[in-house]
Amino acid sequence: MVDASGSRRADVLVKGEVVAAVEPGLSGGGHGTVVLDAAGCIVAPGLVDLHAHLREPGAEEAETIETGARAAALGGYTAIVAMPNTQPATDSAAVVRQVLDLAKGACCDVRPAGAITVGREGRLLAPMAEMAALGVRIFTDDGNCVQDASVMRRALEYASGLGVVIADHCEEPALAGAGWMNEGELSSLLGLPGRPAVSEEIVVRRDLALARLTGARLHLLHLSCALAVAAVREARAEGVAVTAEVAPHHLVLTEEAVGSYDPVFKVNPPLRTASDLVALLAGLVDGTIDAIATDHAPHPLEAKQVAFSEAAPGMVGLETALGIALGELGLPAERVLALMSWQPAAIAGLAGFHGGPVAPGAPANLCVIDPSRRWKVVAAALASRSHNTPFAGRELTGKVRHTIFAGEPVVIAEEAQR
Amino acid sequence: MTPQHLLSVADLGPEGIDEVLRLADTFVEVGRRPIPRVPALRGKTVASAFFEDSTRTRLSFEAAAKRLSADVMTFTSSSSSLNKGESLRDTVLTLEAMGVDAFVIRHSCAGVPAQVAGWLESAGAASAAAGPGGAGGTGGTSGAGGAGGASAVTGPRGASVLNAGDGAHEHPTQALLDCFTISRERERRFGHSPARPAVLSGLRIAIVGDIRHSRVARSNVIAFSTLGASVTLVAPPTLLPPSLCGWPVEVSHDMDGVVAKSDVVYLLRLQSERMNEQFLPSLREYTATFGLTAERARLLGPSALVMHPGPVRRGIEIAAEVADSPCSVITTQVANGVAVRMAVLYLLLGSGAQVGA
């Protein structure tokens, strides 16, 4: 059993929605108790994803809250933050309520993030207090960068009064907007217009300066380049209240994948270079980056089987994130779980509900991980409604065997139960 | 071995390029006959699928296919089902279902010919696996030249894809016809026949203008350097690619100096929209700095050739009197285009039968 307080050998007894006992040699809970085999496995607090696009309302052909939550549970998540770039955008209490309603009965906790601005247009502040009253803790215009520095400043100031977090998609559209891949040697050869890493660095540095000015809590979404990691490291040393996440694909894939012109590898921010991978991993190791978040971005086949210019950016990740993080980063399991469970839980304001610790009386949101399970990613076998994974055919090591959400085994032996 | 597709001019290598050029010699001769037609590709079907307007290249390819006696299907996006919402992939697979041996693809986005080749191969692998006779196709005939697989052994290989220009990536047949034009025009004018296959050995070639957005420049850098020329790119830094790391080129911003010492000055077309995107202050300033004006043309050496892929904007990239002067081989390029495209089609589709007759 691994949680923030360390690791130990123990059995876990769940009664109702809470953990009843954690100790070695527990012998069942009486008649009717479901016993889940965890031999050779890690029992851990359920994973928490800060960054999932569930597409509902508005693009149910790509994903729904139900299918996205099922994919998440299969990936070990007991809570996911649903990005607000829906149609309509999650920029009002009404849409927040709709998402929360649709999430009832889902395989995991679905927490909507609210938009910072009305329609995610970057002009007028969305009613953050009304959404915060419904439990929204993260606000972002993700997919769009908040372009206007004044709007970003006011959003940070306003949010600080509500105790919520402003999260930014850091890419300056004037520099990145026309591009479809990382700008550099390879884009020059391929003839594809590029999104330079500095377009990310510029916004990261602006946002850090505004966070310093306002004292507000800032979260930086899907950092992809060495320049951004360096900026965050400096700001943390200064004491700026910033957290940051990185996506699995940015940790193990480089722009070389785009050489095939396969739009499955088109994503914003784009896949970068090998030296960026090294810097992002160093950021995970030294604590500059707090979380691994999927940026799960489902798109139907027809949105990807088109010219690279016209393809929708993004890739699914909920079902592969843990396998990538455990098997390919060379990090100890405790560190991976910190990055995927209790640290993101704290950022999302879910501490106490998700992310452990696993102790008597705590909510029973758990996952059971077989760290040595080898498996091959089969795109068509994914539970997500869309299959745009960049890892199709890849052999991963480490898979979730069981997931327990609110005391219920929603995944047993790698099979979803609802 | 001949590649199945021509996606990049690099697919051919020096020997492949030389083979195209030598075949093109034959087809130039064919073009001079009273009936400029050979039966080399009789029974083959060539589909020209142009998803971006280009009358010149399309007509050149179609003329080449017809002179080889191939049947030609024409698809242009303006008159197409794309306007009815059909996807690019469905369009290609629909044409293939009618029976196509080669697709000539033009698209405004880099990589589309490579994607089309992939779609055709996976569709071919799927139908081979599902086909009669229980051949048990292994599926995944992975890429050009994949020797294994039941379909490769028992049946003819799938349709070829010829890149007729994809975004800012490549335009291989333009580069081939440019190499042919330089090589043969120098032979014709100065009589010497350099050692092959490095037919451009020792030549100094300047490519001038909007390198950044140019597929012609990318293919020509590869082809010219493969054949032994040394290439200098001349452009303002805004019109160079973001990185030239690994490119076998030198860069200069001094048009006068480069013009004076080049054997070939190759001018690229400049699109007016570059001004709106802040790549350039004005056309006037571009012409003054990088245009081949009549005054600057006086710096050209006596044996220098001036080239342009067309369409030419007289007075912008090149002065009218320079375009019409003896050093200009711009119309020769167009004339050679048909023969070179015949050579490419023959190389990829021909059964190895004699060209003659």
Side-chain angles (χ1 to χ4, degrees):
Chain A
M1 224 210 59
V2 177
D3 65 12
S5 59
S7 56
R8 55 207 178 277
R9 185 169 271 288
D11 292 325
V12 180
L13 179 67
V14 172
K15 273 188 182 166
E17 297 192 2
V18 297
V19 174
V22 183
E23 53 198 72
L26 284 174
S27 56
H31 184 69
T33 301
V34 178
V35 179
L36 300 178
D37 176 25
C41 290
I42 296 169
V43 180
L47 308 183
V48 176
D49 189 21
L50 290 172
H51 199 142
H53 296 274
L54 300 184
R55 305 297 187 216
E56 194 177 24
E60 291 81 358
E61 73 281 8
E63 193 81 283
T64 64
I65 288 169
E66 183 193 340
T67 58
R70 187 175 298 120
L74 286 163
Y77 293 93
T78 55
I80 54 179
V81 176
M83 288 292 111
N85 62 335
T86 45
Q87 289 162 346
T90 311
D91 62 356
S92 67
V95 183
V96 170
R97 273 195 206 95
Q98 185 185 359
V99 171
L100 290 171
D101 274 352
L102 289 163
K104 282 175 190 157
C107 285
C108 70
D109 214 347
V110 175
R111 299 293 182 124
I116 296 171
T117 63
V118 174
R120 300 169 49 253
E121 288 174 354
R123 292 185 297 113
L124 306 170
L125 289 185
M128 283 192 253
E130 287 180 16
M131 290 187 272
L134 295 172
V136 176
R137 287 293 170 268
I138 294 179
F139 289 86
T140 178
D141 280 357
D142 181 53
N144 294 339
C145 177
V146 180
Q147 252 184 292
D148 186 317
S150 169
V151 171
M152 188 63 180
R153 176 193 178 168
R154 297 302 175 217
L156 284 162
E157 287 174 344
Y158 195 79
S160 67
L162 299 170
V164 298
V165 181
I166 295 288
D168 202 10
H169 174 132
C170 300
E171 283 192 294
E172 167 55 51
L175 288 170
W180 310 321
M181 69 171 290
N182 182 47
E183 179 180 296
E185 262 175 63
L186 187 63
S187 71
S188 298
L189 284 176
L190 294 178
L192 288 173
R195 303 171 84 88
V198 293
S199 69
E200 179 172 327
E201 184 200 15
I202 281 176
V203 178
V204 165
R205 289 195 180 275
R206 180 203 72 173
D207 286 354
L208 290 168
L210 292 172
R212 189 197 304 120
L213 175 71
T214 59
R217 270 279 292 111
L218 171 69
H219 179 69
L220 301 175
L221 302 167
H222 47 46
L223 296 186
S224 71
C225 64
L227 294 167
V229 178
V232 174
R233 187 175 289 123
E234 286 168 33
R236 284 193 162 233
E238 278 182 57
V240 174
V242 61
T243 52
E245 66 180 43
V246 60
H249 48 263
H250 287 130
L251 289 165
V252 295
L253 298 176
T254 67
E255 61 175 2
E256 297 295 328
V258 178
S260 63
Y261 292 104
D262 184 342
V264 82
F265 298 108
K266 181 177 175 182
V267 62
N268 295 335
L271 302 176
R272 305 272 189 201
T273 66
S275 60
D276 292 302
L277 259 60
V278 170
L280 291 168
L281 189 58
L284 289 181
V285 170
D286 74 7
T288 301
I289 298 171
D290 305 85
I292 296 173
T294 63
D295 194 8
H296 178 82
H299 292 291
L301 204 51
E302 63 268 22
K304 287 289 191 181
Q305 284 186 335
V306 293
F308 209 87
S309 54
E310 289 156 25
M315 34 186 75
V316 295
L318 284 168
E319 293 166 79
T320 49
L322 186 69
I324 296 290
L326 275 180
E328 307 210 4
L329 302 182
L331 297 174
E334 293 78 4
R335 187 88 201 106
V336 168
L337 290 167
L339 290 162
M340 297 183 73
S341 179
W342 43 95
Q343 288 179 185
I347 292 167
L350 296 172
F353 299 100
H354 294 274
V358 184
N365 294 314
L366 307 167
C367 63
V368 179
I369 301 160
D370 182 348
S372 55
R373 167 92 158 87
R374 292 183 60 77
W375 61 292
K376 192 173 187 173
V377 181
V378 178
L382 295 176
S384 171
R385 183 164 281 185
S386 294
H387 300 151
N388 53 310
T389 173
F391 300 119
R394 198 171 176 116
E395 291 263 358
L396 301 183
T397 302
K399 197 166 201 262
V400 168
R401 187 182 290 180
H402 319 297
T403 304
I404 295 102
F405 167 54
E408 280 280 315
V410 288
V411 174
I412 299 176
E414 303 181 1
E415 296 285 339
Q417 303 299 304
R418 42 166 116 146
Chain B
M1 181 183 164
T2 307
Q4 180 171 0
H5 308 298
L6 181 62
L7 306 177
S8 161
V9 75
D11 294 344
L12 292 170
E15 286 80 16
I17 296 176
D18 190 52
E19 192 178 356
V20 169
L21 303 199
R22 280 188 286 120
L23 277 170
D25 284 326
T26 310
F27 290 124
V28 167
E29 187 271 316
V30 168
R32 293 200 194 100
R33 296 179 190 174
I35 301 171
R37 185 181 284 257
V38 288
L41 297 185
R42 182 182 288 158
K44 302 276 188 186
T45 300
V46 174
S48 69
F50 277 60
F51 301 96
E52 179 189 66
D53 289 339
S54 165
T55 311
R56 303 159 55 99
T57 303
R58 184 171 60 78
L59 292 179
S60 179
F61 262 110
E62 290 175 6
K66 286 172 181 164
R67 287 184 185 184
L68 292 167
S69 305
D71 295 316
V72 176
M73 292 202 277
T74 301
F75 176 95
T76 56
S77 51
S78 47
S79 64
S80 77
S81 46
L82 285 192
N83 294 335
K84 298 174 189 166
E86 185 177 62
S87 76
L88 168 67
R89 182 170 176 273
D90 285 336
T91 301
V92 167
L93 295 181
T94 300
L95 289 173
E96 203 219 8
M98 297 177 195
V100 169
D101 299 289
F103 285 91
V104 177
I105 304 273
R106 161 71 65 98
H107 199 283
S108 60
C109 179
V112 165
Q115 289 177 278
V116 168
W119 293 332
L120 291 172
E121 279 164 23
S122 53
S127 62
T138 52
T141 48
S142 58
S151 60
V153 176
T154 56
R157 57 185 190 176
S160 291
V161 176
L162 281 78
N163 181 355
D166 61 331
H169 179 224
E170 283 218 39
H171 194 351
T173 56
Q174 178 72 45
L176 292 167
L177 75 88
D178 289 335
C179 291
F180 183 80
T181 302
I182 296 169
S183 153
R184 302 315 190 246
E185 197 59 27
R186 285 180 62 87
E187 272 179 49
R188 194 180 68 78
R189 293 185 181 205
F190 315 118
H192 71 107
S193 179
R196 285 173 175 160
V199 290
L200 305 185
S201 187
L203 292 187
R204 291 160 302 180
I205 303 181
I207 303 177
V208 183
D210 189 358
I211 317 286
R212 184 188 184 98
H213 301 97
S214 175
R215 50 190 166 224
V216 173
R218 280 173 182 76
S219 284
N220 268 335
V221 165
I222 295 169
F224 292 163
S225 59
T226 299
L227 296 186
S230 55
V231 179
T232 301
L233 305 180
V234 189
T238 46
L239 292 181
L240 289 171
S243 167
L244 286 170
C245 193
W247 291 44
V249 297
E250 287 179 40
V251 174
S252 172
H253 309 298
D254 169 23
M255 184 65 172
D256 287 350
V258 171
V259 166
K261 64 178 175 98
S262 292
D263 299 301
V264 176
V265 176
Y266 195 106
L267 306 161
L268 297 171
R269 179 175 165 79
L270 185 77
Q271 313 247 353
S272 292
E273 54 261 35
R274 302 301 172 223
M275 259 69 65
N276 303 328
E277 301 162 283
Q278 288 83 43
F279 287 105
L280 286 172
S282 72
L283 281 181
R284 204 173 134 267
E285 183 161 307
Y286 177 82
T287 304
T289 322
F290 297 101
L292 192 58
T293 58
E295 187 183 31
R296 197 169 270 138
R298 289 190 204 106
L299 300 170
L300 287 165
S303 65
L305 302 179
V306 171
M307 304 177 74
H308 192 298
V312 176
R313 302 181 71 196
R314 290 173 174 242
I316 307 293
E317 303 107 8
I318 184 169
E321 53 267 52
V322 181
D324 296 332
S325 72
C327 65
S328 162
V329 291
I330 295 170
T331 45
T332 313
Q333 288 173 272
V334 178
N336 288 338
V338 177
V340 168
R341 289 179 174 117
M342 287 171 79
V344 169
L345 286 167
Y346 180 77
L347 187 68
L348 266 62
L349 293 184
S351 54
Q354 284 295 309
V355 175

